[in-house]
Amino acid sequence: MRKNIVAGNWKMNMTIPEGENLINEILKESISNQTILIVAPPYPNLVTTSLLLKNSKIKLAAQNCADKDKGAFTGEVSASMIKSTGAEYVILGHSERRAYYNETDQIINSKIKLALKAGLKTIVCCGEVLSERESNKHFDVVSKQLKGMFDGITPTDFENIIIAYEPVWAIGTGKTATSDQAQEMHKFIRENIKSAYGNEIAENTSILYGGSCKPSNAKELFNNADVDGGLIGGASLVAKEFIEIAKSF
Ligand code: 13P
């Protein structure tokens, strides 16, 4: 059966010492064995975070990886480099990568393949912008993203894929999707996976909600049948809030 997962995407926040403090605060708290807790600090913090998490159950993720295997790509970080830090996961296709760094579904597809090849599990993001929701195109947008990002991805690959639905209009805005809106889209995503990969894979895939998820709304969101946890931005930078969200199942 699929897992409950709460992942903290720190985005471009936290120097190495600040990150160490945050991890030490998180490590003081305990959460249920039924919940997988993941932290995704910036690249420079991966090794130090990996060492701090060594004897804990908390998992480590990167926020991105290159769409190339290795070589002359100045400034890029490959999936296998990430794997060698001790990270187990990588977030791919975040809307901020799409909006500010021109990532397309095709680029994200290459990244997913490289990450899986390197032995990483992937947290793959999808979600519509406000104008797309307002014009009732959100289902079409998400289904096109899924189709493009998962082109050539096999049923076996899917064991290492988590999906995050992040409506762009809810990210960092304080405007959360309603519980019904989240459930409706998560169910739609699961149905998409079911038609491409079958019922068993669809039922085993964790689908996380992201976008202004906070301790005050996490319970209601996670209570939905198809919402298996959250990808948390702002609230993951405060240990107590992050842990409270992780206790919301
Ligand atoms: P916020 O929780 O800050 O809205 O960010 C969500 C997000 O983008 C997580 O990846």
Side-chain angles (χ1 to χ4, degrees):
M1 264 319 276
R2 57 186 185 259
K3 311 265 184 358
N4 289 334
I5 298 172
V6 169
N9 176 9
W10 295 5
K11 307 192 179 182
M12 199 174 74
N13 294 293
M14 302 281 156
T15 60
I16 292 177
E18 287 166 349
E20 285 176 341
N21 286 341
L22 177 54
I23 292 294
N24 285 327
E25 287 300 307
I26 293 171
L27 285 171
K28 285 184 196 156
E29 311 281 339
S30 65
I31 55 142
S32 145
N33 281 337
Q34 310 307 316
T35 303
I36 298 179
L37 202 61
I38 303 173
V39 290
Y43 288 141
N45 305 43
L46 285 173
V47 172
T48 47
T49 310
S50 174
L51 293 171
L52 285 174
L53 295 180
K54 214 167 178 181
N55 297 315
S56 84
K57 285 176 297 188
I58 301 173
K59 311 287 188 188
L60 181 62
Q63 299 172 16
N64 183 28
C65 75
D67 62 343
K68 305 284 190 299
D69 206 9
K70 65 188 294 194
F73 302 102
T74 303
E76 288 297 301
V77 176
S78 75
S80 50
M81 289 172 187
I82 289 167
K83 177 74 179 172
S84 75
T85 66
E88 279 180 64
Y89 295 80
V90 60
I91 299 170
L92 294 174
H94 193 280
S95 63
E96 286 148 19
R97 302 288 324 162
R98 292 172 182 267
Y100 308 136
Y101 303 98
N102 303 318
E103 281 194 18
T104 60
D105 293 326
Q106 201 182 359
I107 293 173
I108 300 160
N109 176 257
S110 306
K111 293 186 176 193
I112 296 172
K113 288 175 178 162
L114 288 165
L116 294 172
K117 193 175 121 201
L120 291 166
K121 297 182 175 76
T122 59
I123 302 172
V124 180
C125 305
C126 59
E128 79 286 356
V129 300
L130 186 60
S131 60
E132 292 163 340
R133 178 158 283 262
E134 285 175 345
S135 54
N136 214 20
K137 294 201 181 90
H138 44 298
F139 292 115
D140 290 345
V141 167
V142 168
S143 110
K144 187 167 169 278
Q145 288 173 340
L146 297 174
K147 199 164 183 282
M149 292 191 298
F150 295 141
D151 184 35
I153 296 297
T154 68
T156 318
D157 289 336
F158 242 86
E159 286 169 20
N160 293 313
I161 290 177
I162 295 162
I163 296 175
Y165 168 58
E166 299 205 309
V168 181
W169 47 271
I171 296 178
T173 57
K175 201 171 162 185
T176 323
T178 64
S179 170
D180 288 349
Q181 283 172 326
Q183 168 56 23
E184 184 184 38
M185 182 58 89
H186 282 228
K187 186 163 181 267
F188 174 79
I189 292 170
R190 202 176 303 286
E191 276 161 8
N192 262 258
I193 305 168
K194 187 175 163 181
S195 34
Y197 296 99
N199 192 49
E200 195 183 337
I201 290 175
E203 285 302 317
N204 286 334
T205 301
S206 296
I207 307 176
L208 315 183
Y209 168 81
S212 300
C213 184
K214 301 182 280 278
S216 57
N217 57 28
K219 251 198 185 82
E220 200 188 335
L221 287 161
F222 298 175
N223 224 353
N224 288 298
D226 290 292
V227 180
D228 307 309
L231 181 55
I232 319 300
S236 75
L237 301 174
V238 182
K240 281 212 159 12
E241 290 192 22
F242 185 51
I243 293 294
E244 210 176 318
I245 293 171
K247 288 180 174 167
S248 299
F249 292 99

